[in-house]
Amino acid sequence: MNQDRYDAFRALHHRPGAPLVLPNAWDHASAAALAEAGFAAIGTTSLGVASTAGKPDATGAAREETLHLGRRLARLPVPVTVDIEGGFGAGPDGVAALAADLVRAGVAGVNIEDGRPDGTLAPLGFQRELIGAVKEAAPTLFVNARADTYWLPDRADETARRLSAYREAGADGLFVPGLQEEPVIAALAAEYGLPLNILYAPGRLPVARLAELGVARVSTGSLLFRAAVRHAVDVARAVSHGEADTPGVPTYATADAWSQAYGK
């Protein structure tokens, strides 16, 4: 990927009132379909990637599958950002090497989380060192630093402490999944001077309202993957009852083309 495309991805996070809606794909076909649908950038979902490999999410088990997919998706005509969980269990040097490899492949960004499988958070000093090492090794990479504090109690003070530390470490964007409180979102969007990423929650704040609050990026996370699985089950049940009606479902040829698009 050339510098223009890194710059283009960064610019998508700096459009006041028009946040980047980032759909998260789980395989090559889903990513190609989303790109064809006109989305300006594509992310990956760690749950979707791990699940399709029959592995648990957020444990580092799907490292190789994630990196393989990221390298392939970098050939898409739009920028791609890869969810690398918490770094797949590696230390700062290992995660920095991983980031440099993704940049060489043409990946535009990564998402790094501080939550751990046991429900705790990574030590703040370690996470700050991790982000700093990634930015040093891959300065053009857009690092979206995720604070998982809103999955935990007593979150307000810890959220502020972590976001400040991640900004100082060189993060390009800040991500607080689980946050849906309007006053808090507006305050965080205004306070840190970095693009704020919020996870879309069905039935909660719509994209238009998040835009009004100053949000720069809205991610779908694992939602699309889970919706696809649910729809597949619904269609299978309909078939079993002789009621299947699937308007708009892609043809075999279309799906096959998505699986091969832009790849080798």
Side-chain angles (χ1 to χ4, degrees), residues 1-11 79 103 106-108 135 138-142:
M1 181 183 291
N2 59 37
Q3 185 61 46
D4 289 345
R5 294 194 61 193
Y6 284 107
D7 294 341
F9 183 62
R10 192 172 301 276
V103 164
V107 169
K135 288 303 297 181
T140 60
L141 197 66
F142 189 99

Side-chain angles (χ1 to χ4, degrees), residues 96-170:
L98 180 154
D101 177 59
L102 289 174
V103 164
R104 284 191 295 270
V107 169
V110 292
N111 190 77
I112 304 176
E113 64 195 49
D114 59 10
R116 291 187 163 177
D118 63 1
T120 63
L121 299 176
L124 182 55
F126 172 84
Q127 199 69 9
R128 181 172 175 169
E129 186 179 355
L130 200 71
I131 293 167
V134 168
K135 288 303 297 181
E136 183 176 355
T140 60
L141 197 66
F142 189 99
V143 175
N144 200 43
R146 175 174 140 179
D148 284 341
T149 48
Y150 266 73
W151 302 137
L152 305 172
D154 302 322
R155 54 208 182 192
D157 291 344
E158 186 62 21
T159 299
R161 194 165 74 99
R162 286 182 175 261
L163 295 185
S164 294
Y166 300 162
R167 177 182 60 183
E168 292 168 4

Side-chain angles (χ1 to χ4, degrees), residues 30-208:
S30 59
L34 290 164
E36 184 179 295
F39 287 94
I42 308 295
T44 65
T45 161
S46 63
L47 174 64
V49 175
S51 294
T52 55
K55 296 181 178 181
D57 183 29
T59 63
R63 180 184 188 278
E64 292 309 313
E65 290 84 356
T66 300
L67 299 183
H68 177 71
L69 179 62
R71 294 184 191 109
R72 285 183 58 85
L73 297 190
R75 302 186 182 109
L76 292 173
V78 297
V80 170
T81 181
V82 175
D83 184 345
I84 60 170
E85 300 182 2
F88 301 118
D93 290 344
V95 178
L98 180 154
D101 177 59
L102 289 174
V103 164
R104 284 191 295 270
V107 169
V110 292
N111 190 77
I112 304 176
E113 64 195 49
D114 59 10
R116 291 187 163 177
D118 63 1
T120 63
L121 299 176
L124 182 55
F126 172 84
Q127 199 69 9
R128 181 172 175 169
E129 186 179 355
L130 200 71
I131 293 167
V134 168
K135 288 303 297 181
E136 183 176 355
T140 60
L141 197 66
F142 189 99
V143 175
N144 200 43
R146 175 174 140 179
D148 284 341
T149 48
Y150 266 73
W151 302 137
L152 305 172
D154 302 322
R155 54 208 182 192
D157 291 344
E158 186 62 21
T159 299
R161 194 165 74 99
R162 286 182 175 261
L163 295 185
S164 294
Y166 300 162
R167 177 182 60 183
E168 292 168 4
D172 300 285
L174 303 172
F175 185 18
V176 188
L179 173 59
Q180 288 287 303
E181 299 170 15
E182 291 194 14
V184 179
I185 291 173
L188 295 182
E191 182 175 350
Y192 290 96
L194 293 178
L196 178 65
N197 186 183
I198 295 295
L199 182 67
Y200 178 76
R204 303 292 298 278
L205 297 174
V207 171

Side-chain angles (χ1 to χ4, degrees), residues 184-263:
V184 179
I185 291 173
L188 295 182
E191 182 175 350
Y192 290 96
L194 293 178
L196 178 65
N197 186 183
I198 295 295
L199 182 67
Y200 178 76
R204 303 292 298 278
L205 297 174
V207 171
R209 181 56 183 152
L210 292 171
E212 292 172 350
L213 296 171
V215 171
R217 171 166 150 178
V218 181
S219 299
T220 61
S222 64
L223 176 62
L224 304 185
F225 168 70
R226 292 182 285 114
V229 173
R230 171 59 185 271
H231 185 60
V233 172
D234 288 346
V235 171
R237 285 176 173 160
V239 169
S240 72
H241 291 92
E243 302 169 352
D245 183 16
T246 55
V249 171
T251 65
Y252 175 94
T254 297
D256 189 47
W258 283 335
S259 297
Q260 302 172 63
Y262 316 106

